[in-house]
């Protein structure tokens, strides 16, 4: 079955960077995209961006442009999200999700989430 | 502030039907498909409706979705205690060139 397993929680200082991993199994990794969605404590879902499984294309939410990098490693079926210049407002659970495309994209499988805390 | 609007809460007794609305504009719902995600307390989200009205395998047929113009809705019939969760609508927004989520609706089973 499709499974996405994310890296553990992180504690970072303001201005630092964080890299979260998402290891996929149960499907051909390169044929599906991976999306990243975050959720601040007590808040709703916020789309960060997505990347094709073969690492050929990315798309980001405007507010993260220039501050986030998405990559994939097809040899290990792992997707990565790096967020730079962290601030307290970046404290959130970060989820990866597989992007399924029928006629329109949707997120059909999700990782368990990685808590990133930004605090001095 | 999301470009999609949902009521903050909805409730019903077991067995009742609950409907959640999601209102947008021509740049999102009006021209693109809508998906609905359920998030149980302490868990990752899960898709319950995709492409407006399609139900993934494994999702009970108590869940149904519809779209008309710039609005969409999720209906839960025969409400059960395990349906108590937050529900988010989502769509692509052409103006933002990005995926957008609604603010979420908390469903309470009384």
């Amino acid at each position: 079955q499709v499974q996405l397993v994310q890296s553990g929680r992180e504690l970072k200082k303001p201005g630092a960077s964080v890299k979260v991993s998402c290891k996929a199994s149960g499907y051909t990794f390169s044929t599906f995209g991976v999306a990243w969605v975050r959720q601040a404590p007590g808040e709703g879902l916020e789309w960060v961006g997505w990347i094709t499984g073969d690492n050929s294309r990315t798309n980001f939410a405007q507010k993260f442009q220039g501050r986030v990098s998405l990559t994939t490693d097809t040899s290990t079926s792992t997707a990565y999200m790096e967020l730079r210049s962290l601030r307290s407002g970046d404290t959130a659970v970060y989820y990866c999700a597989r992007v399924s495309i029928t006629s329109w994209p949707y997120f059909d499988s999700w990782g368990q989430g990685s808590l990133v805390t930004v605090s001095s | 502030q999301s470009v999609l609007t949902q009521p903050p809460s909805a409730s019903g007794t077991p067995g009742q039907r609950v409907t959640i609305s999601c209102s947008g504009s021509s740049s999102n719902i009006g021209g693109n498909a809508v998906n609905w995600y359920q998030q149980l307390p302490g868990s990752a989200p899960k898709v319950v409706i995709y492409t407006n009205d399609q139900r993934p395998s494994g999702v009970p047929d108590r869940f149904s979705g519809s779209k008309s113009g710039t609005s969409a809705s999720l209906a839960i019939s025969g409400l059960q205690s395990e349906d108590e969760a937050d529900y988010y609508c989502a769509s692509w927004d052409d103006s933002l060139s990005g995926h957008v989520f609604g603010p979420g609706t908390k469903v309470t089973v009384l």
Side-chain angles (χ1 to χ4, degrees):
Chain A
Q1 75 282 17
V2 175
Q3 197 170 11
L4 300 174
V5 178
Q6 299 184 225
S7 49
R9 60 177 57 193
E10 301 264 12
L11 175 60
K12 296 292 184 180
K13 293 191 183 303
S17 299
V18 68
K19 193 169 187 176
V20 179
S21 67
C22 170
K23 184 170 177 58
S25 60
Y27 70 97
T28 303
F29 181 73
S30 60
T31 61
F32 289 83
V34 175
W36 291 87
V37 176
R38 77 177 186 180
Q39 186 170 37
E43 301 296 323
L45 303 175
E46 180 177 31
W47 179 72
V48 175
W50 56 31
I51 182 170
T52 54
D54 62 1
N55 211 22
S56 62
R57 285 181 293 137
T58 55
N59 193 5
F60 307 105
Q62 291 173 1
K63 69 179 289 186
F64 297 105
Q65 295 273 2
R67 209 162 62 92
V68 68
S69 295
L70 301 181
T71 56
T72 63
D73 182 344
T74 55
S75 68
T76 59
S77 299
T78 303
Y80 299 92
M81 182 206 69
E82 181 179 33
L83 188 60
R84 300 178 290 276
S85 302
L86 290 168
R87 39 225 190 206
S88 59
D90 293 319
T91 293
V93 175
Y94 289 76
Y95 293 101
C96 63
R98 191 179 79 161
V99 181
S100 187
I101 298 180
T102 50
S103 47
W104 297 92
Y106 67 100
F107 310 146
D108 67 354
S109 294
W110 294 66
Q112 84 277 17
S114 298
L115 175 62
V116 175
T117 303
V118 183
S119 174
S120 53
Chain B
Q1 315 77 311
S2 176
V3 296
L4 304 180
T5 303
Q6 296 180 239
S9 63
S11 63
T13 57
Q16 278 191 326
R17 176 184 172 92
V18 168
T19 302
I20 304 167
S21 61
C22 177
S23 179
S25 68
S26 57
S27 67
N28 41 68
I29 294 176
N32 299 288
V34 177
N35 308 312
W36 289 90
Y37 299 92
Q38 174 196 63
Q39 187 175 34
L40 297 170
S43 297
K46 165 192 165 185
V47 62
V48 291
I49 293 291
Y50 68 94
T51 313
N52 305 324
D53 57 7
Q54 301 300 300
R55 197 173 47 252
S57 60
V59 172
D61 59 7
R62 303 182 288 105
F63 290 86
S64 62
S66 64
K67 187 185 105 166
S68 178
T70 59
S71 294
S73 63
L74 173 71
I76 310 172
S77 59
L79 193 65
Q80 298 184 6
S81 58
E82 58 260 38
D83 300 332
E84 194 160 277
D86 293 321
Y87 292 85
Y88 296 89
C89 61
S91 184
W92 180 263
D93 189 286
D94 296 324
S95 297
L96 297 174
S97 295
H99 204 78
V100 291
F101 288 94
T105 298
K106 183 175 182 61
V107 169
T108 302
V109 181
L110 301 170

